[in-house]
Amino acid sequence: MNTEVSRVIEFRGVTKRFPDGTVAVDSLDLVVDAGKITVFVGPSGCGKTTSLRMINRMIEPTGGTITVDGRDVTAADAADLRRGIGYVIQQAGLFPHRTILDNIATVPLLLGWGKAKARGRAAELMELVGLDREMAKRYPAQLSGGQQQRVGVARALAADPPILLMDEPFSAVDPVVRESLQDELLRLQSELGKTIVFVTHDIDEAVKLGDKVAVLRVGGVLAQYDEPGHLLARPVDDFVDNFVGRDRGYRGLGFLSSDTIAIGELPTLALGEPVPDDDAWVLVIDAERHPQGWFNGADRNGATVVDAAHLVPGGSLYDIGSGSLRSALDAALSSPSGQGVAVDADGRVAGSITADDVLRVVDDVRRDDTAAA
Ligand SMILES: Nc1ncnc2c1ncn2[C@@H]1O[C@H](COP(=O)(O)OP(=O)(O)OP(=O)(O)O)[C@@H](O)[C@H]1O
Ligand SMILES: [Mg+2]
């Protein structure tokens, strides 16, 4: 949809000292890559919002420069600048007395598109962000929190700006809705390729969404700027280590490729087949080779054929095409047999993986990293 080249944003020695002396941002140096999601994360008051708002000049820096594609933002007309920058905030910030459609059409209308064209564009965007067309005539208060956030995203995208600034856009919704909004954003971004700066205080959200993550500490000092996998594997100091939190070793597996993992053979049976003689675990599949559950020969209780009543639910599945070491390990650990079920893109059983297989790959990665360092 967006044919314009996306923009690089650069902070060079950027400082914001408020009139009362508070230093919200201190000598920030950072390059926000074009067409990627960059996340600013850190504890409350560390200067995330201030940094974000200096990009579209809702706040002016007191030192240093911010450039967009090499041009100093303070040299541009603020209104012109903002036309190329979508802005999404917590609670969506919608106009309560305007319909959903007119909320989304706000910027196109300001740009003088004319009512019909602006509303046509708004309708298109409702579909893009997954909102039902019949909500067009409702008012914001008649929508759920998650739906309102979708409207906020649609409104920010209405004029197709190359840059999108998002300040804790999903923090007011419950965890389940939040996760689906995050997934939607990733899907949208894979289509749109905007330069997105996303602010959150939630490290899990940061590592899920960010191509790169900037961890800030109070006082507006950049602690670490890295890809999510590196952040989890190699926090630069105790502050970052504490901030990225518990289980970082396990969560870091989500960023390691599982391409080299060995897929073992997995004995399978169909429902209705005779019970095997031994006491081993066997995976039960349907005619399409989709997993149905496990059968344990030791628990046959006189059964002669494998029937649904004897099935033990399986664990998570590891997708050999898109899975990570984390999903491989989880498949192994959550399987009643200890053998994780690997499936192909169509969900058909491809073989088995064990926790040992995963740990072997982790060890190889560590050895390669040490050799490279
Ligand atoms: N107008 C202002 N005048 C004085 N101090 C301010 C002003 N705006 C923000 N601050 C201070 O600057 C610091 C950074 O604020 P900022 O809003 O950027 O933090 P934040 O990281 O977005 O925090 P949160 O996670 O709570 O939203 C805070 O100490 C805040 O109190
Ligand atoms: Mg903030």
Side-chain angles (χ1 to χ4, degrees), residues 22-324:
T22 306
V23 177
V25 179
D26 196 2
S27 311
L28 183 61
D29 285 302
L30 177 142
V31 176
V32 172
D33 296 327
K36 304 279 183 195
I37 302 182
T38 297
V39 179
F40 291 174
V41 68
S44 185
C46 71
K48 304 180 294 294
T49 296
T50 305
S51 301
L52 195 73
R53 289 182 165 197
M54 287 191 288
I55 297 172
N56 66 1
R57 291 185 59 196
M58 290 170 76
I59 295 177
E60 301 282 358
T62 45
T65 50
I66 297 177
T67 59
V68 171
D69 272 2
R71 281 188 295 275
D72 189 335
V73 294
T74 56
D77 173 68
D80 277 346
L81 179 76
R82 280 176 212 151
R83 228 163 272 150
I85 304 181
Y87 186 48
V88 188
I89 55 172
Q90 197 180 335
Q91 313 275 25
L94 304 177
F95 301 113
H97 304 300
R98 280 191 206 161
T99 63
I100 298 310
L101 200 70
D102 285 343
N103 261 284
I104 299 172
T106 302
V107 177
L109 284 172
L110 283 176
L111 294 177
W113 284 25
K115 262 201 168 139
K117 189 177 167 208
R119 286 185 168 161
R121 169 71 178 155
E124 224 176 86
L125 279 155
M126 287 188 69
E127 191 172 323
L128 187 73
V129 301
L131 283 168
D132 209 320
R133 274 302 302 273
E134 68 184 30
M135 291 178 183
K137 288 202 152 34
R138 290 202 212 165
Y139 291 88
Q142 298 168 313
L143 262 53
S144 72
Q147 289 162 345
Q148 290 181 32
Q149 284 308 141
R150 289 190 151 86
V151 177
V153 173
R155 187 177 59 178
L157 290 172
D160 202 15
I163 295 172
L164 199 54
L165 308 181
M166 307 181 82
D167 194 352
E168 309 223 23
F170 307 147
S171 57
V173 295
D174 69 67
V176 176
V177 173
R178 183 195 280 219
E179 207 155 298
S180 72
L181 289 169
Q182 292 165 348
D183 293 338
E184 281 288 303
L185 178 66
L186 289 173
R187 183 189 60 77
L188 263 181
Q189 171 67 352
S190 71
E191 283 176 33
L192 303 179
K194 304 281 181 194
T195 300
I196 298 180
V197 187
F198 189 106
V199 163
T200 180
H201 56 259
D202 175 352
I203 187 68
D204 289 317
E205 184 164 75
V207 299
K208 175 173 175 180
L209 296 179
D211 292 297
K212 272 187 158 175
V213 176
V215 183
L216 299 166
R217 65 172 99 234
V218 174
V221 179
L222 183 62
Q224 187 166 358
Y225 186 40
D226 232 326
E227 288 164 18
H230 287 157
L231 202 64
L232 291 169
R234 299 277 158 87
V236 291
D237 59 20
D238 287 346
F239 168 78
V240 179
D241 187 9
N242 274 324
F243 192 78
V244 296
R246 294 166 54 188
D247 305 330
R248 70 171 168 85
Y250 175 64
R251 292 188 289 128
L253 292 179
F255 298 95
L256 294 182
S257 160
S258 56
D259 288 353
T260 58
I261 202 166
I263 305 291
E265 273 186 41
L266 188 59
T268 57
L269 271 180
L271 285 173
E273 283 195 68
V275 169
D277 290 333
D278 56 6
D279 286 352
W281 284 99
V282 188
L283 184 74
V284 179
I285 55 173
D286 67 10
E288 271 85 52
R289 294 192 58 77
H290 294 144
Q292 304 297 298
W294 288 88
F295 180 83
N296 184 353
D299 287 339
R300 70 187 71 203
N301 296 329
T304 54
V305 295
V306 177
D307 59 9
H310 284 86
L311 284 191
V312 178
S316 62
L317 300 173
Y318 162 66
D319 183 327
I320 52 174
S322 62
S324 64

